[in-house]
Amino acid sequence: MKAASISKGERIQSLDVLRGFALLGILMVNIFDFSGPQLYRSSLVQSSGGLDRLVEILVFVLAQASFYPLFSFLFGAGGVMFYKRIGGKGLSPERFFARRMTALLFIGVLHAFFIWHGDILISYALIGFLFMLFIGKSAKALAVWSLSLIFIPNILFSLLLAGSGNVPETDMNTERITAVYQNGSFSELMVQRAADWFYVNNPIMAPFLVLSILPMFLLGGYAMKRGWFERSPSEETIKKWLVTAVITGPSGILLKLMPVLFPQSGLWSYLHQSIGGPLLTMFYITAILAMVHKFGFKKVYSPFAYAGRASMSNYLLQSLICTLLFYSYGFGLYGTVTSFQAILIGAGVYIILMTASYFWFKRFEQGPAERWWRWFVYRKS
């Protein structure tokens, strides 16, 4: 039987809504890195007051470290769905999934080194191969592995940080980097992009990257196997979502707020990222699923589904548009806008892409990047 990409009738709306919502949150965080040298600053909260500090705190608490985990969760859920669909056709899901990761790696390399250094697709592709070792396990096993990888290493590392005291200021002098992105040639930008990518994706950071992404892949796989994305989930499942949302929302916000109150604490900064981020991720997931299946609000959530149907295309377009706005080969706004202005620009870019997605799907079944990705995966099947 021939493999094929998912059809419009097979799409799961809740997955598309969550993907679209994840794209918004990712852009609200990334816009600070598109518009300035945020990568080399110790905290997203830099301003002393006013609207700039307010939006920095809101993004730091509500978005940072919570939306890439959401994307990771959805990646894991999609991976299990992919395996099930390919296996159901009597084909080898491992072979097709390996092709899928290979194509994703290729796209990620182009994105990271020719458009924007903050690419996550390379990491997803490489860790996706590791995910293949777990994807066939039971839902219970995926949950145990996921929670173990989230809590055990992070608790141990937190105990080490608890006795280390306050952390020194680590901001770097970014004048040269700002000058490159404002006025540099394209080749100079490529060199700086590569330096920025390797600054984050170095061997020391690799274990932390795996421990932040793989557990959420596994948790997404668990959710798919437990029927979280069925078109008509049971009342018991919806009740579990609501209980999870009530627990994870306040606890996640509290943990993520602590570095704002105690900015010199290495422990709270670490817990913000490692525990607070995933907790708030689970709040967003369960609250949105409950909203979609229990409470209606279709006019509120359905626009996100348009963006989510072309999540890879929109992720890449976010980078393309924002680098054209901020880099020297475009409008050169890098380092010239305030945090509040950056958020307004990011919101405007998202609205444009959401609107474009709506009209795109009036004529086409797939986003442009998704179409190429699926062609690569299925071309020889």
Side-chain angles (χ1 to χ4, degrees):
M1 184 178 292
K2 186 176 181 179
S5 60
I6 191 169
S7 67
K8 181 179 178 181
E10 294 175 299
R11 297 202 68 86
I12 300 173
Q13 187 182 44
S14 57
L15 273 175
D16 286 337
V17 171
L18 284 166
R19 288 187 183 110
F21 182 64
L23 285 168
L24 173 62
I26 286 169
L27 182 54
M28 292 300 98
V29 177
N30 287 350
I31 196 68
F32 291 93
D33 215 338
F34 285 125
S35 61
Q38 179 59 44
L39 176 66
Y40 297 98
R41 293 170 179 158
S42 57
S43 173
L44 190 148
V45 182
Q46 296 281 320
S47 301
S48 57
L51 283 175
D52 290 329
R53 183 171 177 82
L54 176 62
V55 298
E56 288 167 6
I57 291 174
L58 288 174
V59 172
F60 182 75
V61 174
L62 299 179
Q64 191 176 45
S66 290
F67 280 91
Y68 273 123
L70 174 52
F71 230 34
S72 302
F73 176 96
L74 297 170
F75 184 96
V80 168
M81 184 169 65
F82 181 89
Y83 256 62
K84 183 178 179 180
R85 188 165 51 82
I86 295 296
K89 296 178 182 292
L91 302 171
S92 168
E94 291 82 9
R95 180 166 65 93
F96 283 95
F97 193 79
R99 264 194 218 171
R100 187 176 171 92
M101 294 304 97
T102 300
L104 189 66
L105 180 61
F106 176 75
I107 296 170
V109 168
L110 292 179
H111 180 229
F113 296 103
F114 289 90
I115 301 177
W116 185 55
H117 67 83
D119 170 78
I120 197 64
L121 302 180
I122 294 175
S123 298
Y124 276 21
L126 295 176
I127 298 171
F129 285 108
L130 182 60
F131 181 46
M132 291 174 67
L133 300 175
F134 298 88
I135 203 167
K137 295 185 181 296
S138 67
K140 182 179 179 181
L142 291 177
V144 170
W145 272 104
S146 174
L147 296 177
S148 298
L149 290 172
I150 290 174
F151 287 104
I152 293 175
N154 287 320
I155 288 173
L156 291 174
F157 196 71
S158 297
L159 291 174
L160 293 175
L161 285 173
S164 65
N166 293 341
V167 295
E169 190 68 36
T170 57
D171 286 2
M172 293 175 57
N173 188 320
T174 56
E175 289 183 5
R176 184 194 63 79
I177 296 169
T178 299
V180 169
Y181 282 118
Q182 280 182 344
N183 304 302
S185 65
F186 189 80
S187 61
E188 289 174 328
L189 263 68
M190 285 190 65
V191 171
Q192 185 60 52
R193 253 193 299 260
D196 293 342
W197 188 87
F198 283 109
Y199 178 78
V200 174
N201 299 277
N202 59 70
I204 295 174
M205 291 301 297
F208 293 96
L209 196 61
V210 173
L211 288 173
S212 67
I213 293 176
L214 180 60
M216 297 308 294
F217 282 4
L218 299 175
L219 204 56
Y222 160 83
M224 179 60 71
K225 292 192 176 191
R226 289 304 300 266
W228 282 29
F229 297 103
E230 292 177 356
R231 285 180 169 79
S232 299
S234 67
E235 286 296 322
E236 181 183 358
T237 298
I238 294 174
K239 184 178 179 180
K240 289 179 180 178
W241 290 340
L242 293 172
V243 171
T244 302
V246 168
I247 294 171
T248 57
S251 59
I253 288 175
L254 179 62
L255 270 178
K256 296 187 74 181
L257 186 61
M258 296 306 287
V260 179
L261 304 176
F262 304 100
Q264 293 301 312
S265 170
L267 174 61
W268 287 124
S269 294
Y270 183 77
L271 289 175
H272 163 278
Q273 185 89 11
S274 60
I275 305 295
L279 281 174
L280 201 57
T281 297
M282 293 310 299
F283 166 75
Y284 289 137
I285 292 166
T286 51
I288 289 173
L289 287 173
M291 179 177 68
V292 171
H293 292 288
K294 180 73 174 178
F295 300 113
F297 303 110
K298 187 171 184 179
K299 289 183 179 180
V300 175
Y301 68 74
S302 59
F304 289 103
Y306 300 128
R309 280 184 65 183
S311 56
M312 180 186 288
S313 296
N314 283 317
Y315 174 70
L316 297 172
L317 284 169
Q318 284 179 1
S319 297
L320 185 61
I321 293 171
C322 289
T323 51
L324 285 173
L325 287 173
F326 292 107
Y327 287 5
S328 61
Y329 51 74
F331 290 88
L333 297 177
Y334 191 90
T336 67
V337 300
T338 66
S339 295
F340 181 65
Q341 290 169 339
I343 286 294
L344 290 180
I345 291 170
V349 170
Y350 185 82
I351 291 170
I352 289 170
L353 290 175
M354 180 188 285
T355 304
S357 298
Y358 171 79
F359 287 106
W360 177 271
F361 287 114
K362 290 287 186 182
R363 295 190 59 187
F364 303 101
E365 290 290 321
Q366 298 175 331
E370 286 78 7
R371 185 171 183 174
W372 180 87
W373 191 20
R374 285 162 174 78
W375 171 84
F376 185 93
V377 173
Y378 300 117
R379 72 193 190 284
K380 294 179 182 178
S381 62

